[in-house]
Amino acid sequence: MHTGHITTPFGRRPAKLALVKEQFAIVASTPSTRVEKWKVFRDVCETRERFGLQDRAIAVLDALLTFYPDTQLDASNGLVVFPSNAQLSVRAHGITESTLRRQLGALVDVGLIQRRDSPNGKRYAHRSRDGEIEKAYGFDLSPLLTRSTELALLAQDVAAERMRFRRAKEALTICRRDVRKLITAAIDEGAPGNWGHVETVYIGILGRHPRYPDRNQVEITLSEMELLRDEVINLLEMHTETENMHGNASRDDRHIQNSKTESINEFEPSSEKEQGENVPKEPHAKSVAGTETKAKLEQTRAFPLAMVLRACPQIADYGPGGGIAHWRELMIAAVVVRSMLGVSPSAYEEACSAMGPENAAVAMACILERSNFINSHGGYLRDLTKRTLRGEFSLGPVLMSLLKANGGEGRRAG
């Protein structure tokens, strides 16, 4: 039973069941608990926004605590303070009485203090002959003692949330700066790309960002801005890779021109049934079809497997069981090499679509042989794919060059 511990407010203020429930909780709390009053006050200051309290309510709570004589809140010594409104107003930096009443009501409503009203509504105390307080009417600070652990944990959560918010804003500031400067550099230096559209997207993201955002809104904007930054970096990386590939391609063309050219037809199968088999040498054709026709022909006609393995012996190390016996094993090895060299799946799929799966595997074998001379393997393969689609590239001369470089010797199939 809690008879004698529950009080109702004086005058026209109604008694609410929520206040009764809070009084039950205070009575059920451990009476021997003690806590430093200013530590609790600091926790309330940290969490005031969670309670919806204004700064003036905090000033009133500060004033109430100054009327408690001890530095620690201790239930055994009584936790009721009974200053007059005039005294409270002075210690709360001179706020008006109407504001004082309103902020006291706010502190009561959020459960940080309780009213202990006298029969006539005045605040006073009955003292013994020794001067000790026997009964006091005023404001009870027991909720601060009861909820001290809750307030401490809530203050830690608020501090962590504030830290996350600050770091999210810092990350957004850096990301915005990166995107803005990268777009400007790309436009100023004439990098290929639809930079006008990119800038429009950038402005749109900032336009959706609230003027006074919360953490969730900052993180949403940050996520969108990071995606845009990744896209800008990808465009610039592709531009850089293209420049590197053009330099490598020029060196490759000079190497092919210096080598003694031979007809590619002696290494190509005459039909699909003869893929992977050696065929007799055909007469040298003085009239050769255009490069575009040759590129389309190579999409459906792979080179003899034995010749590929002689020209590119390193690919055999990546076949199932350390060897390659047929075209399927070559294509399996090419996928392994693609992953090892950092070529993206999309780049390899595009090569397969443009060249055919067998020739794409041959291209990967060639790239593996010359990997030490290629800066970006994925970019190099994409460039070969584009040149193939334009009819400007054929695997034949590359294989011939590698075959001569290896002296015609290498690992044979099977």
Side-chain angles (χ1 to χ4, degrees), residues 244-310:
N244 293 336
M245 287 186 291
H246 285 329
N248 291 331
S250 298
R251 291 193 294 271
D252 294 343
D253 291 341
R254 288 194 296 270
H255 179 73
I256 293 171
Q257 290 172 2
N258 292 335
S259 62
K260 184 177 179 180
T261 59
E262 296 183 19
S263 174
I264 189 175
N265 292 330
E266 65 175 312
F267 296 103
E268 293 183 346
S270 58
S271 66
E272 292 185 8
K273 294 181 180 180
E274 294 177 6
Q275 291 183 6
E277 300 178 2
N278 292 323
V279 296
K281 182 175 179 180
E282 297 179 0
H284 180 70
K286 295 182 180 180
S287 171
V288 182
T291 55
E292 183 176 357
T293 303
K294 184 186 295 183
K296 291 182 179 179
L297 180 64
E298 288 187 359
Q299 291 184 18
T300 57
R301 297 175 61 191
F303 300 93
L305 181 62
M307 187 198 92
V308 173
L309 295 179
R310 289 200 302 272

Side-chain angles (χ1 to χ4, degrees), residues 276 305-306 309 319-320 323-333 358 413-414:
L305 181 62
L309 295 179
I324 293 175
H326 46 75
W327 279 100
R328 181 174 179 81
E329 291 184 348
L330 176 65
M331 289 187 284
I332 293 174
E358 293 88 354

Side-chain angles (χ1 to χ4, degrees), residues 220-238:
I220 290 172
T221 303
L222 174 61
S223 177
E224 294 180 353
M225 194 65 69
E226 285 177 338
L227 289 175
L228 181 60
R229 180 175 61 182
D230 292 342
E231 183 64 25
V232 170
I233 292 174
N234 286 338
L235 289 173
L236 295 176
E237 184 179 12
M238 289 175 61

Side-chain angles (χ1 to χ4, degrees), residues 37 64-72 77-78 80-81 133:
K37 66 179 181 180
L64 285 173
L65 287 173
T66 61
F67 286 99
Y68 187 77
D70 297 331
T71 58
Q72 289 190 326
N77 295 333
V80 178
V81 293
I133 297 176

Side-chain angles (χ1 to χ4, degrees), residues 177-205:
R177 181 186 66 197
D178 291 345
V179 174
R180 177 68 272 171
K181 291 193 173 185
L182 288 173
I183 293 175
T184 301
I187 294 174
D188 291 345
E189 299 182 20
N194 191 355
W195 299 109
H197 174 69
V198 174
E199 189 162 17
T200 300
V201 174
Y202 171 77
I203 295 173
I205 293 174

